[in-house]
């Protein structure tokens, strides 16, 4: 049985997954504070080599790193919706159908049958709260309050620049009918409680305007001010929690800042406050300050010692909108299977449980929050989805590693996907990475840029015909030196150890079929030949999985 097959078995059997460590942690039931920023680059904060040296100090994120465990090999997904779905469900986004961005007016969203961090923690008695960017759909069943969160406030449903589409200052040439359509279907900031319809707090546009209420009715707030409301909503919830408004329950609060997704329009309080005095740098300073205020409130209320805090971002840096974009020291960018699209910062803090100043180079991923938070909170991972059908989690319990009981991660491999892919485009096993489905134009520049980025999610569904590339991520984290082509005789054996991992993964899609893509759109004609291949492919996956040929 391969490593992945053993994982699949243990991840599906909740009793086995949660045996041992979960009983000890259930006694404490920590509060859990999850802070997620948007498009934040691996190298943007001082803790990861950026910060002051790049004209945008991040003292609060750096302080988090000094107080807990900092991860250097933490993996997200290559785009916003996919990354948030993976973290929230503990599953690869192709299982939930959440592989790509849905626009306003399309409806749909995270399927009602999915378990989320919130709905699982609620089974262990947690109170749950969400504020900030959701980006997992706009249908009623996809709202945070329909997905396990007791309450939500200042929730934005879309990527940030979606709120500029109906704005005449941004698109003055747009015809009136199209503008009216965007203004009609775009929902503003939402609030609400589980069991009740969501209500609109205010509309959102791309201007420097902050009028949440106009004549006693919902008004308009511009993009620059949104994170101000997210910060205040988080602090308001912490105040109520400390005052006993949650009935003594432990809480799970998910705080999701809009920054630093473009367009980066810093709050007026932060304009020109970075040494760099650029929009992006000012926005980094802003979001760092807001994180610091939330952490200060946690300490002021005496909640810090029994709160597990995690900080991360949704995907790799988006360099295609430079200079309004994050930085990554790796090859590629958001939307690709390269490290630059997937490897992101992550910090975990829990005083008295996680050693301060710890550095970790083990493979860990956003999908692992599910098993880890469940273990910390004493919840059992379900074996069936919320509709009663068998389900599977791509999640490992990292709590023993976080608390120093073990030094090695239970996760030994990672799979890289771009949108609409069932088979991964690359696999990492230990420190070796094999790239075999490279989407795009083999590193061709996009737009007016000279960055080495493949087209990925924002380009046509075409793939570069390459012999599988093999990279040693210890010696070559930028994926520049293909050790198959450059040292052929020494490394062709690697395909033999990659194959069982890929095969085991692919067979799980037969036993646990992926859900319909939530943002499915027309991508070209379905040929008779492909239609006839469907059953053949299903039968082949069930019997043999998938096999990578030896490079030759």
């Amino acid at each position: 049985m391969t490593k992945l097959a053993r994982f699949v078995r243990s991840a599906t059997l909740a009793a086995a997954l949660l045996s041992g460590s979960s009983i000890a942690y259930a006694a404490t039931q920590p509060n859990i504070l999850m802070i997620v920023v948007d498009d934040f680059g691996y190298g943007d904060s001082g803790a990861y080599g950026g910060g002051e040296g790049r004209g945008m100090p991040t003292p609060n994120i750096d302080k988090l790193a000094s107080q807990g465990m900092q991860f250097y090999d933490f993996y997200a997904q290559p785009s916003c919706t996919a990354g948030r779905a993976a973290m929230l469900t503990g599953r690869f986004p192709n299982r939930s159908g959440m592989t790509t961005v849905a626009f306003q007016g399309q409806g749909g969203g995270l399927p009602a049958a999915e378990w989320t961090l919130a709905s699982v923690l609620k089974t262990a008695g947690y109170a749950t709260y969400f504020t900030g960017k959701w980006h997992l759909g706009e249908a009623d069943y996809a709202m945070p309050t329909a997905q396990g969160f007791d309450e939500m406030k200042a929730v934005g449903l879309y990527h940030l620049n979606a709120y500029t589409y109906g704005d005449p200052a941004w698109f003055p040439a747009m015809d009136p009918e199209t503008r009216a359509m965007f203004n009609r279907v775009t929902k503003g900031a939402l609030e609400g409680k589980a069991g009740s319809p969501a209500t609109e707090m205010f509309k959102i546009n791309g201007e420097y305007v902050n009028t949440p209420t106009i004549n006693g009715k919902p008004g308009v707030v511009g993009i620059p001010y949104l994170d101000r409301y997210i910060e205040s909503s988080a602090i308001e919830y912490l105040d109520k929690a400390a005052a006993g408004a949650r009935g003594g329950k432990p809480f799970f609060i998910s705080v999701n800042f809009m920054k630093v997704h473009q367009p980066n329009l810093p709050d007026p309080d932060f304009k020109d406050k970075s040494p760099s005095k650029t929009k992006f740098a000012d926005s980094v300073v802003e979001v760092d300050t807001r994180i610091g205020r939330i952490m200060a409130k946690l300490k002021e209320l005496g909640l810090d010692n029994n709160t597990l805090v995690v900080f991360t971002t949704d995907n790799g840096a988006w360099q295609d909108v430079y200079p309004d974009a994050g930085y990554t020291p790796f090859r590629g960018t958001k939307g690709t299977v390269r490290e630059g699209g997937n490897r992101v910062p992550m910090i975990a803090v829990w005083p008295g449980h996680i050693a301060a100043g710890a550095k970790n180079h083990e493979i860990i991923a956003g999908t692992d929050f599910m098993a880890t938070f469940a273990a910390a909170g004493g919840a059992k991972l379900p074996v069936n989805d919320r509709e009663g059908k068998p389900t599977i989690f791509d999640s490992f319990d990292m709590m023993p590693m976080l608390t120093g009981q073990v030094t090695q991660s239970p996760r030994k491999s990672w799979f890289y996907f771009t949108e609409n892919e069932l088979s991964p485009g690359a696999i990492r096993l230990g420190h070796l990475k094999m790239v075999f489905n490279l989407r795009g134009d083999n590193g061709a520049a996009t737009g007016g840029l000279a960055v080495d980025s493949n087209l990925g999610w924002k380009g046509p569904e075409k793939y570069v015909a390459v012999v599988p590339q093999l990279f040693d991520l210890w010696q070559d984290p930028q994926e520049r030196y293909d050790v198959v082509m450059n040292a052929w005789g020494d490394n062709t054996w690697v395909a033999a150890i990659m194959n069982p991992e890929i095969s085991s993964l692919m067979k799980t899609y037969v036993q646990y079929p992926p859900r319909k893509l939530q943002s499915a759109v027309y991508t070209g004609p379905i040929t008779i030949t492909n239609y006839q291949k469907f059953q053949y492919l299903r039968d082949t996956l069930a019997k043999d999985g998938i096999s990578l040929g030896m490079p030759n």
Side-chain angles (χ1 to χ4, degrees):
M1 184 179 288
T2 67
K3 296 182 184 73
L4 180 65
R6 287 195 297 271
F7 150 62
V8 167
R9 186 166 178 264
S10 63
T12 311
L13 300 174
L17 181 69
L18 297 176
S19 63
S21 63
S22 64
I23 297 173
Y25 301 125
T28 62
Q29 278 200 300
N31 304 310
I32 300 174
L33 168 59
M34 183 176 180
I35 301 174
V36 180
V37 289
D38 198 338
D39 283 11
F40 197 91
Y42 186 96
D44 286 344
S45 67
Y48 285 87
E52 187 174 358
R54 294 189 50 237
M56 46 189 196
T58 55
N60 296 293
I61 295 172
D62 301 348
K63 184 178 180 180
L64 277 179
S66 70
Q67 293 174 331
M69 184 175 288
Q70 181 179 356
F71 289 84
Y72 294 90
D73 290 73
F74 181 85
Y75 286 95
Q77 299 293 321
S79 65
C80 301
T81 293
R84 293 167 190 276
M87 284 190 283
L88 202 62
T89 65
R91 286 154 50 86
F92 293 135
N94 55 21
R95 298 194 191 277
S96 61
M98 304 299 293
T99 69
T100 190
V101 172
F103 291 86
Q104 61 266 47
Q106 285 186 312
L110 189 65
E114 290 289 326
W115 287 97
T116 66
L117 294 172
S119 55
V120 168
L121 287 171
K122 279 184 67 66
T123 67
Y126 275 72
T128 55
Y129 183 81
F130 188 93
T131 181
K133 181 178 178 178
W134 179 241
H135 215 187
L136 295 174
E138 60 184 1
D140 289 343
Y141 65 79
M143 290 290 108
T145 45
Q147 292 284 349
F149 289 97
D150 298 324
E151 303 173 68
M152 66 178 185
K153 191 170 184 179
V155 173
L157 298 183
Y158 319 109
H159 52 289
L160 199 56
N161 50 319
Y163 294 102
T164 67
Y165 293 164
D167 191 333
W170 284 76
F171 300 104
M174 184 181 291
D175 67 88
E177 288 186 5
T178 302
R179 190 184 316 285
M181 181 275 294
F182 276 120
N183 288 330
R184 183 178 66 254
V185 302
T186 303
K187 298 179 182 179
L190 300 178
E191 64 180 341
K193 295 184 178 181
S196 300
T199 57
E200 198 170 51
M201 298 171 62
F202 47 75
K203 290 291 186 182
I204 302 170
N205 70 8
E207 308 303 313
Y208 270 88
V209 58
N210 186 22
T211 54
T213 304
I214 299 177
N215 297 326
K217 297 179 180 180
V220 180
V221 171
I223 287 172
Y225 297 89
L226 278 180
D227 280 351
R228 182 184 292 194
Y229 289 90
I230 295 167
E231 175 199 324
S232 64
S233 296
I235 288 175
E236 177 187 9
Y237 183 84
L238 292 176
D239 278 329
K240 290 180 179 179
R246 303 296 164 256
K249 293 180 178 181
F251 61 76
F252 167 55
I253 172 173
S254 181
V255 181
N256 300 262
F257 287 110
M258 291 287 194
K259 289 184 172 69
V260 283
H261 192 291
Q262 63 91 18
N264 277 294
L265 302 174
D267 186 297
D269 290 347
F270 293 90
K271 289 186 72 173
D272 295 330
K273 291 300 173 66
S274 69
S276 177
K277 291 182 171 50
T278 63
K279 292 188 301 179
F280 182 81
D282 290 346
S283 297
V284 168
V285 169
E286 176 186 344
V287 78
D288 177 81
T289 302
R290 299 196 187 284
I291 290 169
R293 291 171 182 168
I294 292 172
M295 294 304 297
K297 173 60 70 171
L298 200 68
K299 184 175 181 62
E300 172 194 324
L301 297 172
L303 297 171
D304 54 325
N305 284 331
N306 193 37
T307 299
L308 168 61
V309 179
V310 297
F311 160 81
T312 191
T313 187
D314 52 357
N315 48 250
W318 190 2
Q319 294 184 300
D320 293 351
V321 288
Y322 178 86
D324 194 17
Y327 166 76
T328 173
F330 306 115
R331 184 176 184 179
T333 184
K334 175 181 177 180
T336 73
V337 298
R338 298 298 191 188
E339 293 297 286
N342 295 267
R343 206 191 299 193
V344 300
M346 200 282 271
I347 299 166
V349 178
W350 188 11
H353 297 268
I354 299 175
K359 311 292 184 184
N360 192 293
H361 294 271
E362 295 289 299
I363 301 174
I364 181 174
T367 56
D368 296 325
F369 287 146
M370 176 62 82
T372 303
F373 291 178
K380 291 185 176 181
L381 286 187
V383 296
N384 294 320
D385 67 18
R386 295 169 75 187
E387 293 179 345
K389 298 176 182 178
T391 193
I392 185 175
F393 294 97
D394 304 292
S395 190
F396 287 91
D397 175 11
M398 295 294 175
M399 196 55 66
M401 188 179 69
L402 288 173
T403 56
Q405 297 178 45
V406 300
T407 58
Q408 292 185 324
S409 170
R411 176 182 290 286
K412 304 304 178 187
S413 62
W414 181 246
F415 302 99
Y416 304 72
F417 302 90
T418 54
E419 78 174 41
N420 201 27
E421 289 181 340
L422 194 62
S423 59
I427 175 177
R428 176 176 177 177
L429 186 58
H431 63 97
L432 298 173
K433 177 179 180 179
M434 181 172 280
V435 180
F436 43 87
N437 285 340
L438 191 61
R439 186 172 175 175
D441 284 330
N442 202 20
T446 57
L449 298 175
V451 297
D452 178 20
S453 62
N454 302 106
L455 292 178
W457 59 279
K458 64 186 182 60
E461 290 187 11
K462 68 175 182 177
Y463 292 83
V464 181
V466 294
V467 172
Q469 301 173 335
L470 182 67
F471 302 99
D472 183 338
L473 293 180
W474 281 353
Q475 306 300 321
D476 177 30
Q478 290 190 332
E479 301 173 80
R480 298 293 183 186
Y481 190 83
D482 179 357
V483 295
V484 168
M485 295 305 294
N486 291 288
W488 185 87
D490 295 332
N491 298 291
T492 54
W493 60 269
V494 172
I497 65 170
M498 300 290 189
N499 264 326
E501 297 293 315
I502 297 287
S503 182
S504 295
L505 170 70
M506 296 307 296
K507 287 182 179 180
T508 68
Y509 293 115
V510 179
Q511 187 176 359
Y512 306 96
R515 305 190 194 280
K516 172 185 173 293
L517 288 178
Q518 294 302 302
S519 55
V521 294
Y522 180 75
T523 57
I526 298 176
T527 65
I528 296 173
T529 303
N530 282 335
Y531 176 80
Q532 292 172 341
K533 285 180 180 177
F534 290 163
Q535 187 60 48
Y536 168 77
L537 286 173
R538 285 193 291 268
D539 293 343
T540 300
L541 285 177
K543 181 181 178 183
D544 301 319
I546 191 171
S547 180
L548 298 175
M550 287 284 191
N552 57 68

